[in-house]
């Protein structure tokens, strides 16, 4: 058995949470990440027949039966993950139709997974149906995206078009756009179901006055997705109060589609 401290999935998770904290996206215990692991890979580092304890999830997700996730802990601070990964992170396997999670490693102070576990697992189900390579769901509180939900129309097409217009690379990085939820109570199955529904058509879902959810095939890609949207929101917040003289036109967006072989969300460009 190899030492889990050297497992690439754990090293990458520690680097990502540390980096997100450094970006100011995860104040206090803000933010959470879940990473779908490959069972054969986990077996190199853990005896997966040894269950430390079983934790009820409070929801059902039969599509994820037997799947193993590395996930951040509830009440835990991203800034502390690098110093005590086994306290702040856990590896769990979903069983009993997703109603139970078997702890295989971590949460060594008796803790458990993030309170947003329902939103994460339901989002994994939705994204895996679209893309079997999707392994990551990431949530955080980037200041400019959050600020934008106070001053911009929350209509998804309008919100997406504004972000696309703020940096040339946006339409290339998230051609599927950004979906938007109104303010909802977090930590509930209801916001989990609503987020998953939105994840069927886009990899980014904004939680108004709260933060954002991103999904992708690995931690780097998902981080980059949120990073790009946040950069666009930052530009918007810098210029929203100024007279707009120039923009990226729809004709120019079509040129980007052709050059980078992407297809903008249906009906979002004229
Ligand atoms: Zn949050």
């Amino acid at each position: 058995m190899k030492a889990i401290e050297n497992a690439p999935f754990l090293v990458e998770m520690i680097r990502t949470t540390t980096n997100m904290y450094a970006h100011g996206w995860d104040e206090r215990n803000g933010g959470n990440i879940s990473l779908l692991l490959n069972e054969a890979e986990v077996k190199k580092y853990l005896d997966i027949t040894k269950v430390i304890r079983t934790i009820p999830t409070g929801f059902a997700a039969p599509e994820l039966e037997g799947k193993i996730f590395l996930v951040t802990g509830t009440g835990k601070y991203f800034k502390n993950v690098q110093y005590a990964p086994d306290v702040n992170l856990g590896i769990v396997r979903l069983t009993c139709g997703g109603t139970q999670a078997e702890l295989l490693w971590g949460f060594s102070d008796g803790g458990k997974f993030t309170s947003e576990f329902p939103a994460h697992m339901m989002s994994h189900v939705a994204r895996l149906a679209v893309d079997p390579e999707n392994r990551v769901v990431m949530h955080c509180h980037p200041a400019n995206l959050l600020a934008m939900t106070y001053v911009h129309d929350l209509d998804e097409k309008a919100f997406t078009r504004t972000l696309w217009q703020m940096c040339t690379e946006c339409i290339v990085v998230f051609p599927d756009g950004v979906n938007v939820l109104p303010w909802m109570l977090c930590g509930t199955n209801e916001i989990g179901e609503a987020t998953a529904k939105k994840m069927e058509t886009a990899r980014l879902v904004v939680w108004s006055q709260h933060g954002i959810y991103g999904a992708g095939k690995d931690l780097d890609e998902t981080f980059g997705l949120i990073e790009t949207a946040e950069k666009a929101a930052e530009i918007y917040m810098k210029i929203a109060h100024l007279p707009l003289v120039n923009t990226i036109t729809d004709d120019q967006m079509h040129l980007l589609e052709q050059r980078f072989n992407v297809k903008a969300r249906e009906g979002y460009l004229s």
Side-chain angles (χ1 to χ4, degrees), residues 27-269:
E27 73 289 345
R28 200 173 180 271
N29 62 330
N32 27 74
I33 306 177
S34 57
L35 168 64
L36 173 59
L37 300 177
N38 177 301
E39 187 181 304
E41 181 72 6
V42 179
K43 274 182 176 168
K44 295 178 192 167
Y45 304 92
L46 277 183
D47 176 0
I48 63 167
T49 63
K50 249 173 75 181
V51 176
I52 299 166
R53 54 194 156 93
T54 301
I55 310 167
T57 65
F59 58 87
E63 302 88 342
L64 301 178
E65 179 72 27
K67 295 218 184 303
I68 301 174
F69 292 89
L70 173 59
V71 60
T72 53
T74 182
K76 299 295 192 262
Y77 294 17
F78 272 23
K79 73 182 176 69
N80 296 337
V81 172
Q82 61 177 321
Y83 306 112
D86 66 314
V87 173
N88 295 289
L89 303 173
I91 294 177
V92 296
R93 176 174 51 211
L94 291 184
T95 58
C96 304
T99 62
Q100 304 285 333
E102 296 175 332
L103 181 65
L104 303 177
W105 175 86
F107 302 144
S108 60
D109 63 347
K112 62 183 249 185
F113 38 74
T114 167
S115 61
E116 301 297 354
F117 203 54
H120 277 254
M121 294 301 111
M122 292 174 194
S123 293
H124 275 287
V125 171
R127 286 314 303 174
L128 284 167
V130 180
D131 176 7
E133 293 298 308
N134 192 95
R135 306 192 82 82
V136 176
V137 173
M138 185 180 282
H139 167 63
C140 56
H141 306 156
N144 293 288
L145 278 164
L146 232 156
M148 207 172 143
T149 67
Y150 286 88
V151 296
H152 194 283
D153 185 347
L154 296 180
D155 173 76
E156 289 168 345
K157 181 177 169 182
F159 203 94
T160 296
R161 284 181 53 82
T162 295
L163 290 177
W164 284 350
Q165 287 162 354
M166 293 303 110
C167 318
T168 295
E169 66 169 337
C170 281
I171 196 169
V172 179
V173 176
F174 49 96
D176 45 349
V178 173
N179 285 342
V180 183
L181 281 182
W183 188 92
M184 290 178 73
L185 186 61
C186 52
T188 62
N189 286 354
E190 287 70 29
I191 200 169
E193 286 158 11
T195 306
K197 185 81 197 140
K198 294 289 185 190
M199 281 279 181
E200 290 172 6
T201 50
R203 292 169 301 146
L204 286 168
V205 178
V206 167
W207 282 10
S208 295
Q209 294 85 49
H210 182 141
I212 192 162
Y213 266 76
K217 64 177 166 40
D218 57 39
L219 290 165
D220 222 24
E221 186 203 60
T222 314
F223 180 93
L225 184 62
I226 292 175
E227 188 180 29
T228 307
E230 169 63 1
K231 169 60 78 67
E234 182 182 354
I235 308 294
Y236 176 75
M237 294 309 297
K238 282 184 197 293
I239 67 165
H241 58 295
L242 300 171
L244 192 68
V245 179
N246 302 303
T247 190
I248 303 170
T249 66
D250 282 22
D251 283 344
Q252 290 167 334
M253 300 267 189
H254 287 303
L255 290 175
L256 287 163
E257 281 183 297
Q258 289 158 23
R259 171 66 183 81
F260 293 97
N261 195 27
V262 295
K263 185 80 196 82
R265 178 101 162 243
E266 191 66 41
Y268 275 31
L269 293 180

